[in-house]
């Protein structure tokens, strides 16, 4: 989740994620644990001097915990990142505002904003149609049942609509 927030590339409704069976299997489990410890550290250090950072990091931690502690069928889902993202944005806002006051920092903030805009524009293309969205999900997670089933359902609906349109055209031709 943290990688999706920091570098929101290759997002999808479904992810083909290897489930953790220990701290080093897969290696990302260790990094996720360290990320949670880092978030706890930010909470501890910021609680008195940076109340907005504390509130944002607290919201992110509270919102992401169910996905980290509860066994889920799909442990990684883009929609589970919405509320934690609001908390993380609240947590980093004071730092970005401070960085924006420094002349060299303004450029860094503008580059970050431009990269975020470009990533959002690229992601928006997948949301143009329901079929396109599930096709993209299938590209990212070809072994996921939900992506396959939803795409098959959409294809079946489309085929039915095509048959109905053909029958309607035939009936008009008869009249």
């Amino acid at each position: 989740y943290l990688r999706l927030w920091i570098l929101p590339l290759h997002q999808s409704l479904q992810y083909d994620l290897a489930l953790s069976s220990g701290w080093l299997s897969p290696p990302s489990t260790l990094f996720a644990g360290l990320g949670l410890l880092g978030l706890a550290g930010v909470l501890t250090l910021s609680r008195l001097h940076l109340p907005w950072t504390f509130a944002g990091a607290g919201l992110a931690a509270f919102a992401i915990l169910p996905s980290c502690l509860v066994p889920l069928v799909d442990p990684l889902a883009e929609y589970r990142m919405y509320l934690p993202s609001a908390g993380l944005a609240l947590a980093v806002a004071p730092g970005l505002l401070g960085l924006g006051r420094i002349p060299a920092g303004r450029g860094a903030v503008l580059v970050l904003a431009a990269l975020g805009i470009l990533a959002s524009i690229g992601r928006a293309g997948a949301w143009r149609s329901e079929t396109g969205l599930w096709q993209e999900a299938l590209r990212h997670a070809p072994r996921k049942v939900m992506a396959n089933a939803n795409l098959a359902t959409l294809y079946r609906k489309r085929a039915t609509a095509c048959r109905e349109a053909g029958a309607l055209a035939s009936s008009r031709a008869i009249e």
Side-chain angles (χ1 to χ4, degrees):
Y1 285 116
L2 194 56
R3 190 215 45 92
L4 279 177
W5 193 77
I6 293 171
L7 191 65
L9 300 175
H10 308 295
Q11 294 184 13
S12 178
L13 286 178
Q14 298 272 285
Y15 292 91
D16 214 358
L17 183 71
L19 297 178
S20 175
S21 60
W23 283 105
L24 298 175
S25 175
S28 59
T29 305
L30 178 62
F31 295 116
L34 292 173
L36 286 174
L37 283 175
L39 191 55
V42 167
L43 279 170
T44 303
L45 295 174
S46 67
R47 66 186 162 85
L48 297 176
H49 302 293
L50 301 167
W52 287 108
T53 300
F54 175 71
L59 175 62
F62 181 74
I64 205 70
L65 271 178
S67 294
C68 297
L69 300 177
V70 177
L72 301 167
V73 173
D74 281 326
L76 183 61
E78 183 180 288
Y79 64 87
R80 284 195 202 109
M81 196 58 195
Y82 297 157
L83 187 58
S85 290
L88 290 171
L90 188 62
V92 300
L96 288 176
L97 289 173
L99 188 62
R101 292 189 188 111
I102 303 167
R106 287 187 195 116
V109 170
L110 288 174
V111 166
L112 286 172
L115 289 173
I117 289 169
L118 289 174
S120 295
I121 289 170
R123 179 73 180 121
W127 288 86
R128 286 195 182 120
S129 73
E130 194 174 2
T131 304
L133 189 63
W134 287 110
Q135 284 173 337
E136 185 210 29
L138 199 58
R139 276 193 304 277
H140 288 281
R143 297 181 298 146
K144 289 291 187 175
V145 172
M146 184 187 295
N148 282 287
N150 285 346
L151 194 56
T153 300
L154 287 171
Y155 287 153
R156 186 176 42 236
K157 285 179 184 176
R158 184 182 296 159
T160 302
C162 289
R163 282 194 304 268
E164 288 172 0
L168 183 61
S170 296
S171 69
R172 286 187 181 156
I174 294 170
E175 292 175 352

PDB file of all heavy atoms in Angstrom, residues 13 21 26 38-39 60 64-65 68 101 112 124 134-135 146-147 151 171:
ATOM      1  N   LEU A  13      -7.706  -2.715 -10.135  1.00  0.00           N
ATOM      2  CA  LEU A  13      -8.724  -3.174  -9.188  1.00  0.00           C
ATOM      3  C   LEU A  13      -8.297  -4.463  -8.503  1.00  0.00           C
ATOM      4  O   LEU A  13      -8.711  -4.745  -7.389  1.00  0.00           O
ATOM      5  CB  LEU A  13     -10.054  -3.405  -9.906  1.00  0.00           C
ATOM      6  CG  LEU A  13     -10.819  -2.170 -10.321  1.00  0.00           C
ATOM      7  CD1 LEU A  13     -12.094  -2.564 -11.055  1.00  0.00           C
ATOM      8  CD2 LEU A  13     -11.154  -1.307  -9.140  1.00  0.00           C
ATOM      9  N   SER A  21       4.157 -15.781   4.129  1.00  0.00           N
ATOM     10  CA  SER A  21       4.219 -16.978   4.974  1.00  0.00           C
ATOM     11  C   SER A  21       5.306 -16.822   6.036  1.00  0.00           C
ATOM     12  O   SER A  21       5.620 -17.770   6.733  1.00  0.00           O
ATOM     13  CB  SER A  21       4.486 -18.219   4.118  1.00  0.00           C
ATOM     14  OG  SER A  21       5.707 -18.084   3.435  1.00  0.00           O
ATOM     15  N   PRO A  26       7.035 -13.259   1.115  1.00  0.00           N
ATOM     16  CA  PRO A  26       8.010 -12.626   0.227  1.00  0.00           C
ATOM     17  C   PRO A  26       8.759 -11.510   0.952  1.00  0.00           C
ATOM     18  O   PRO A  26       8.327 -11.072   2.021  1.00  0.00           O
ATOM     19  CB  PRO A  26       7.158 -12.082  -0.917  1.00  0.00           C
ATOM     20  CG  PRO A  26       5.833 -11.795  -0.283  1.00  0.00           C
ATOM     21  CD  PRO A  26       5.654 -12.849   0.789  1.00  0.00           C
ATOM     22  N   GLY A  38       7.776   2.492  11.035  1.00  0.00           N
ATOM     23  CA  GLY A  38       8.072   3.889  10.709  1.00  0.00           C
ATOM     24  C   GLY A  38       6.866   4.783  10.950  1.00  0.00           C
ATOM     25  O   GLY A  38       7.000   5.894  11.483  1.00  0.00           O
ATOM     26  N   LEU A  39       5.691   4.304  10.572  1.00  0.00           N
ATOM     27  CA  LEU A  39       4.472   5.062  10.807  1.00  0.00           C
ATOM     28  C   LEU A  39       4.228   5.240  12.303  1.00  0.00           C
ATOM     29  O   LEU A  39       3.848   6.324  12.758  1.00  0.00           O
ATOM     30  CB  LEU A  39       3.292   4.347  10.147  1.00  0.00           C
ATOM     31  CG  LEU A  39       1.972   5.079  10.053  1.00  0.00           C
ATOM     32  CD1 LEU A  39       2.129   6.420   9.349  1.00  0.00           C
ATOM     33  CD2 LEU A  39       0.957   4.221   9.325  1.00  0.00           C
ATOM     34  N   ALA A  60      -4.219   7.308   8.878  1.00  0.00           N
ATOM     35  CA  ALA A  60      -3.693   6.320   7.923  1.00  0.00           C
ATOM     36  C   ALA A  60      -3.473   4.977   8.611  1.00  0.00           C
ATOM     37  O   ALA A  60      -3.846   3.925   8.074  1.00  0.00           O
ATOM     38  CB  ALA A  60      -2.390   6.829   7.311  1.00  0.00           C
ATOM     39  N   ILE A  64      -5.587   1.555   7.722  1.00  0.00           N
ATOM     40  CA  ILE A  64      -4.888   0.478   7.018  1.00  0.00           C
ATOM     41  C   ILE A  64      -4.772  -0.792   7.871  1.00  0.00           C
ATOM     42  O   ILE A  64      -4.566  -1.884   7.338  1.00  0.00           O
ATOM     43  CB  ILE A  64      -3.497   0.950   6.541  1.00  0.00           C
ATOM     44  CG1 ILE A  64      -3.017   0.135   5.347  1.00  0.00           C
ATOM     45  CG2 ILE A  64      -2.457   0.867   7.626  1.00  0.00           C
ATOM     46  CD1 ILE A  64      -3.750   0.383   4.102  1.00  0.00           C
ATOM     47  N   LEU A  65      -4.929  -0.687   9.174  1.00  0.00           N
ATOM     48  CA  LEU A  65      -4.760  -1.845  10.053  1.00  0.00           C
ATOM     49  C   LEU A  65      -5.643  -3.044   9.702  1.00  0.00           C
ATOM     50  O   LEU A  65      -5.151  -4.172   9.700  1.00  0.00           O
ATOM     51  CB  LEU A  65      -4.968  -1.452  11.509  1.00  0.00           C
ATOM     52  CG  LEU A  65      -3.709  -0.974  12.220  1.00  0.00           C
ATOM     53  CD1 LEU A  65      -4.031  -0.567  13.646  1.00  0.00           C
ATOM     54  CD2 LEU A  65      -2.614  -1.997  12.175  1.00  0.00           C
ATOM     55  N   CYS A  68      -4.058  -5.092   7.174  1.00  0.00           N
ATOM     56  CA  CYS A  68      -2.793  -5.696   7.594  1.00  0.00           C
ATOM     57  C   CYS A  68      -2.989  -6.854   8.564  1.00  0.00           C
ATOM     58  O   CYS A  68      -2.181  -7.765   8.605  1.00  0.00           O
ATOM     59  CB  CYS A  68      -1.908  -4.644   8.266  1.00  0.00           C
ATOM     60  SG  CYS A  68      -1.439  -3.305   7.176  1.00  0.00           S
ATOM     61  N   ARG A 101       8.117  26.852   0.922  1.00  0.00           N
ATOM     62  CA  ARG A 101       8.614  28.185   1.321  1.00  0.00           C
ATOM     63  C   ARG A 101      10.066  28.398   0.928  1.00  0.00           C
ATOM     64  O   ARG A 101      10.543  29.518   0.878  1.00  0.00           O
ATOM     65  CB  ARG A 101       8.437  28.365   2.825  1.00  0.00           C
ATOM     66  CG  ARG A 101       6.997  28.451   3.241  1.00  0.00           C
ATOM     67  CD  ARG A 101       6.860  28.840   4.708  1.00  0.00           C
ATOM     68  NE  ARG A 101       5.465  28.734   5.099  1.00  0.00           N
ATOM     69  CZ  ARG A 101       4.985  27.837   5.927  1.00  0.00           C
ATOM     70  NH1 ARG A 101       5.784  26.960   6.487  1.00  0.00           N
ATOM     71  NH2 ARG A 101       3.707  27.803   6.221  1.00  0.00           N
ATOM     72  N   LEU A 112       6.692  17.016  -8.004  1.00  0.00           N
ATOM     73  CA  LEU A 112       5.843  15.995  -7.380  1.00  0.00           C
ATOM     74  C   LEU A 112       4.400  16.135  -7.842  1.00  0.00           C
ATOM     75  O   LEU A 112       3.734  15.145  -8.157  1.00  0.00           O
ATOM     76  CB  LEU A 112       5.916  16.078  -5.862  1.00  0.00           C
ATOM     77  CG  LEU A 112       7.190  15.557  -5.208  1.00  0.00           C
ATOM     78  CD1 LEU A 112       7.184  15.889  -3.720  1.00  0.00           C
ATOM     79  CD2 LEU A 112       7.313  14.067  -5.410  1.00  0.00           C
ATOM     80  N   ALA A 124      -6.790   7.387 -15.418  1.00  0.00           N
ATOM     81  CA  ALA A 124      -8.172   7.727 -15.763  1.00  0.00           C
ATOM     82  C   ALA A 124      -8.637   7.001 -17.016  1.00  0.00           C
ATOM     83  O   ALA A 124      -9.829   6.723 -17.167  1.00  0.00           O
ATOM     84  CB  ALA A 124      -8.315   9.234 -15.942  1.00  0.00           C
ATOM     85  N   TRP A 134     -12.007  -3.816 -16.280  1.00  0.00           N
ATOM     86  CA  TRP A 134     -11.763  -5.221 -15.936  1.00  0.00           C
ATOM     87  C   TRP A 134     -10.705  -5.856 -16.821  1.00  0.00           C
ATOM     88  O   TRP A 134     -10.000  -6.769 -16.404  1.00  0.00           O
ATOM     89  CB  TRP A 134     -13.067  -6.019 -15.943  1.00  0.00           C
ATOM     90  CG  TRP A 134     -13.896  -5.660 -14.746  1.00  0.00           C
ATOM     91  CD1 TRP A 134     -15.054  -4.959 -14.728  1.00  0.00           C
ATOM     92  CD2 TRP A 134     -13.575  -5.930 -13.381  1.00  0.00           C
ATOM     93  NE1 TRP A 134     -15.480  -4.779 -13.432  1.00  0.00           N
ATOM     94  CE2 TRP A 134     -14.589  -5.368 -12.586  1.00  0.00           C
ATOM     95  CE3 TRP A 134     -12.534  -6.586 -12.744  1.00  0.00           C
ATOM     96  CZ2 TRP A 134     -14.592  -5.456 -11.202  1.00  0.00           C
ATOM     97  CZ3 TRP A 134     -12.540  -6.678 -11.353  1.00  0.00           C
ATOM     98  CH2 TRP A 134     -13.562  -6.117 -10.605  1.00  0.00           C
ATOM     99  N   GLN A 135     -10.561  -5.364 -18.068  1.00  0.00           N
ATOM    100  CA  GLN A 135      -9.467  -5.854 -18.919  1.00  0.00           C
ATOM    101  C   GLN A 135      -8.123  -5.465 -18.305  1.00  0.00           C
ATOM    102  O   GLN A 135      -7.190  -6.263 -18.283  1.00  0.00           O
ATOM    103  CB  GLN A 135      -9.591  -5.283 -20.334  1.00  0.00           C
ATOM    104  CG  GLN A 135     -10.664  -5.931 -21.152  1.00  0.00           C
ATOM    105  CD  GLN A 135     -10.876  -5.230 -22.482  1.00  0.00           C
ATOM    106  OE1 GLN A 135     -10.561  -4.063 -22.657  1.00  0.00           O
ATOM    107  NE2 GLN A 135     -11.435  -5.970 -23.429  1.00  0.00           N
ATOM    108  N   MET A 146     -12.241 -12.888  -9.630  1.00  0.00           N
ATOM    109  CA  MET A 146     -13.153 -11.759  -9.774  1.00  0.00           C
ATOM    110  C   MET A 146     -12.963 -11.049 -11.117  1.00  0.00           C
ATOM    111  O   MET A 146     -13.940 -10.732 -11.800  1.00  0.00           O
ATOM    112  CB  MET A 146     -12.974 -10.751  -8.636  1.00  0.00           C
ATOM    113  CG  MET A 146     -13.981  -9.610  -8.710  1.00  0.00           C
ATOM    114  SD  MET A 146     -13.696  -8.289  -7.517  1.00  0.00           S
ATOM    115  CE  MET A 146     -13.969  -9.115  -5.985  1.00  0.00           C
ATOM    116  N   ALA A 147     -11.730 -10.791 -11.501  1.00  0.00           N
ATOM    117  CA  ALA A 147     -11.469 -10.101 -12.765  1.00  0.00           C
ATOM    118  C   ALA A 147     -11.961 -10.940 -13.937  1.00  0.00           C
ATOM    119  O   ALA A 147     -12.621 -10.430 -14.855  1.00  0.00           O
ATOM    120  CB  ALA A 147      -9.975  -9.802 -12.909  1.00  0.00           C
ATOM    121  N   LEU A 151     -15.326  -9.823 -16.210  1.00  0.00           N
ATOM    122  CA  LEU A 151     -15.122  -9.590 -17.637  1.00  0.00           C
ATOM    123  C   LEU A 151     -15.985 -10.547 -18.467  1.00  0.00           C
ATOM    124  O   LEU A 151     -16.598 -10.140 -19.458  1.00  0.00           O
ATOM    125  CB  LEU A 151     -13.646  -9.737 -17.986  1.00  0.00           C
ATOM    126  CG  LEU A 151     -13.237  -9.206 -19.345  1.00  0.00           C
ATOM    127  CD1 LEU A 151     -13.610  -7.738 -19.513  1.00  0.00           C
ATOM    128  CD2 LEU A 151     -11.733  -9.374 -19.546  1.00  0.00           C
ATOM    129  N   SER A 171     -36.851  -7.741 -37.112  1.00  0.00           N
ATOM    130  CA  SER A 171     -38.281  -7.505 -36.957  1.00  0.00           C
ATOM    131  C   SER A 171     -38.707  -6.225 -37.680  1.00  0.00           C
ATOM    132  O   SER A 171     -39.785  -6.171 -38.259  1.00  0.00           O
ATOM    133  CB  SER A 171     -38.696  -7.444 -35.486  1.00  0.00           C
ATOM    134  OG  SER A 171     -38.177  -6.274 -34.889  1.00  0.00           O
TER     135      SER A 171
END
